[in-house]
Amino acid sequence: MKNIFDYALLGVTTAMGVAVVVISKVGELQMDTAVTMLGIGLACAGVYLLSKKDEK
């Protein structure tokens, strides 16, 4: 179960970064939406890294 949670966090992190780039290239992205999406991705990356720190 821990592996699935880790992959989900990494997937959301990657997806948010890619989505911001793609939507901004299309020209349909508002700045506040981009910041929110990147914030969600960064939070997921932080949770993933903190969970890996506890395993050591």
Side-chain angles (χ1 to χ4, degrees):
M1 191 66 177
K2 181 81 170 124
N3 257 351
I4 294 172
F5 185 68
D6 288 345
Y7 285 129
L9 289 172
L10 291 174
V12 170
T13 300
T14 305
M16 288 297 176
V18 170
V20 167
V21 171
V22 170
I23 297 171
S24 68
K25 285 293 184 181
V26 173
E28 297 294 323
L29 185 64
Q30 301 293 326
M31 187 61 67
D32 58 334
T33 305
V35 170
T36 301
M37 291 172 70
L38 291 173
I40 291 169
L42 185 60
C44 288
V47 170
Y48 172 77
L49 291 173
L50 284 174
S51 71
K52 289 297 173 188
K53 182 180 177 185
D54 291 341
E55 291 178 4
K56 290 182 180 180

